[in-house]
Amino acid sequence: MISREVYKLAFSAFFADLGYQTAVVMFPLIFVIILKTPIWLYGVAEALNYGLGSFMGLIGGIMGDRFGRKKMAVLGNSIIVFISLLGFSKNWWEALLIFMIPWWFRNFRSPIRRSMITEVTSEKERVKAFGILHSLDIGGAILAITYTSILLYFKFPIEYLLLITSIPIIISTALLSVSNAGKITYKRKTIFKGNDKIIILLIISTTLFGLSQYSFGFPIITTALFTHENYLAVISYGIFLTASSFFGLIYSRTRINEFMGLGFLGYLIASISSLGFAFLSPLGIKGIYPMAFLLGASVASAETFEPSIISIFSKKESIGENMGLLTFGRSIGIFTSNFIMGFLYQIKYYYAYYFSSIASIVAFFIVVYIIISQGRNND
């Protein structure tokens, strides 16, 4: 039975996303559409967000193990609130700084929160717990996109729309602070402590998936350019999040092998969705929305099965560190993807999506290799 502590952590994720996901969807629109910044510079900006943020994820995982996961999670989550000032940006570098620094601390606390989940669950409960976490996490994001698209439709001032997001972020931090998880500290530190081969291969594969996942800002920009409506672009992100939340809940209730779910329902579908963006975007929302749905389903698989696998193959004293390495790998992939896709997109938008599709296929084959290796070991 899932404990009350899991729901505290999951609802903390719900309220965090209820707040900052509005900034996530508004950042590309403010940066490119409103401030008229070139798309290649947007790619560089997102590369900085995710690339340097990757180190914050690794640092957060290590500091959580060493100094107390709860204290470090509360610290990281409390700084996210400054993202609510994004709407007051007057130029591109202000927008970048106001978004980037809170985003780094979001990365800082994410692996810590995952580690806290492992403390209050048994190994058999992990997939379900991470599925619940992801589903509520994205559920908050869906509501954020809903009120954002409605308020944008009615021309509500963007700066005050973003300022409202501070309220749920503060609630999120309060829920983390009352959690009973994350009080344990560990003195021994050994990177990859556990099954080294599985952990390293998983980090490599999630790095490649990061190349495929990129920032959803690119589909948002694609939607805005092909439909000429910002609120339709926001809705595309809402569809992505809805699929991600729904499938996170579905995956949490399945008994599928974690590696099979990750490879076939995650990385392979991500490759297909990227190809879909390349070929179907000229159709407008008829082509873009279904691909956003598929991409959301693939991300749900990764967010559910990746941390579960890490928790199974890690020693308890280094789970936080290995979760940080998982965040590090994904962020490095997203960093590289945003940098490359920004330049490819500037040439032809579909070149960017071709690139991401290929990267995800390579990640898929790495997982297939793991599945085959595990089968041989069992024999």
Side-chain angles (χ1 to χ4, degrees):
M1 183 177 177
I2 298 298
S3 74
R4 183 181 300 177
E5 295 305 313
V6 171
Y7 287 102
K8 285 181 186 178
L9 296 170
F11 274 104
S12 171
F14 170 85
F15 282 106
D17 274 56
L18 185 61
Y20 76 73
Q21 285 292 349
T22 293
V24 170
V25 76
M26 290 305 302
F27 179 66
L29 296 177
I30 290 172
F31 202 77
V32 176
I33 306 299
I34 296 175
L35 298 177
K36 309 296 182 183
T37 310
I39 292 180
W40 71 264
L41 187 54
Y42 169 73
V44 172
E46 287 287 49
L48 290 171
N49 292 336
Y50 288 99
L52 296 180
S54 67
F55 292 101
M56 293 297 287
L58 179 57
I59 292 168
I62 293 172
M63 291 183 68
D65 287 346
R66 184 166 296 179
F67 300 112
R69 292 166 182 167
K70 178 178 175 179
K71 288 188 292 186
M72 293 299 102
V74 170
L75 171 65
N77 210 81
S78 63
I79 295 175
I80 299 173
V81 73
F82 292 103
I83 208 168
S84 301
L85 301 174
L86 179 64
F88 295 99
S89 305
K90 300 301 180 184
N91 50 59
W92 69 265
W93 60 266
E94 284 185 1
L96 174 59
L97 288 175
I98 293 173
F99 183 87
M100 182 171 62
I101 294 174
W103 186 259
W104 288 349
F105 280 91
R106 176 262 184 194
N107 278 8
F108 177 88
R109 70 94 170 96
S110 290
I112 305 173
R113 191 175 60 197
R114 286 174 170 177
S115 302
M116 292 168 71
I117 288 282
T118 67
E119 290 183 16
V120 293
T121 55
S122 66
E123 185 175 306
K124 293 181 180 179
E125 296 173 327
R126 298 277 164 76
V127 169
K128 185 174 183 180
F130 284 119
I132 291 170
L133 172 67
H134 180 69
S135 185
L136 281 172
D137 187 15
I138 303 303
I142 293 167
L143 290 180
I145 300 311
T146 300
Y147 73 71
T148 299
S149 57
I150 292 171
L151 292 177
L152 281 177
Y153 179 80
F154 287 106
K155 312 298 182 184
F156 191 82
I158 290 174
E159 59 268 35
Y160 298 113
L161 164 62
L162 284 156
L163 199 58
I164 291 170
T165 65
S166 62
I167 298 172
I169 296 173
I170 291 170
I171 295 173
S172 168
T173 304
L175 283 170
L176 274 178
S177 68
V178 299
S179 172
N180 291 321
K183 297 179 179 180
I184 302 172
T185 59
Y186 299 97
K187 294 182 179 179
R188 296 185 64 183
K189 303 297 300 173
T190 306
I191 290 180
F192 298 131
K193 189 170 184 181
N195 190 317
D196 291 10
K197 181 179 179 181
I198 296 295
I199 294 172
I200 292 170
L201 285 174
L202 185 64
I203 291 168
I204 293 171
S205 67
T206 199
T207 300
L208 290 164
F209 180 60
L211 292 173
S212 171
Q213 185 185 347
Y214 40 85
S215 161
F216 199 83
F218 284 100
I220 290 170
I221 292 169
T222 301
T223 309
L225 292 176
F226 279 105
T227 66
H228 308 289
E229 291 287 354
N230 286 348
Y231 78 93
L232 291 177
V234 171
I235 290 172
S236 71
Y237 189 47
I239 291 171
F240 163 79
L241 294 171
T242 299
S244 191
S245 177
F246 174 75
F247 281 98
L249 189 60
I250 294 297
Y251 297 149
S252 73
R253 298 178 181 275
T254 63
R255 295 184 178 180
I256 188 172
N257 176 273
E258 283 95 338
F259 290 108
M260 293 288 289
L262 180 61
F264 287 91
L265 300 177
Y267 300 161
L268 182 59
I269 289 180
S271 178
I272 294 169
S273 68
S274 292
L275 281 179
F277 281 121
F279 288 110
L280 302 178
S281 291
L283 298 177
I285 61 174
K286 292 180 181 179
I288 294 170
Y289 284 4
M291 295 306 103
F293 187 87
L294 278 182
L295 187 62
S298 72
V299 170
S301 170
E303 293 291 337
T304 301
F305 296 121
E306 283 180 351
S308 178
I309 293 169
I310 286 288
S311 71
I312 291 170
F313 290 96
S314 298
K315 297 295 184 181
K316 64 180 182 179
E317 63 266 30
S318 59
I319 285 179
E321 187 167 345
N322 289 343
M323 290 290 185
L325 286 165
L326 185 68
T327 299
F328 176 82
R330 177 79 65 82
S331 296
I332 285 294
I334 296 175
F335 158 76
T336 307
S337 175
N338 279 287
F339 189 79
I340 295 174
M341 285 184 68
F343 284 94
L344 291 176
Y345 201 105
Q346 197 75 35
I347 302 169
K348 295 287 185 181
Y349 80 92
Y350 44 81
Y351 289 171
Y353 293 119
Y354 290 159
F355 165 78
S356 64
S357 179
I358 293 169
S360 192
I361 279 291
V362 177
F364 167 72
F365 282 118
I366 290 175
V367 175
V368 170
Y369 169 76
I370 295 174
I371 293 170
I372 294 172
S373 298
Q374 289 290 100
R376 289 173 180 169
N377 292 338
N378 292 335
D379 291 340

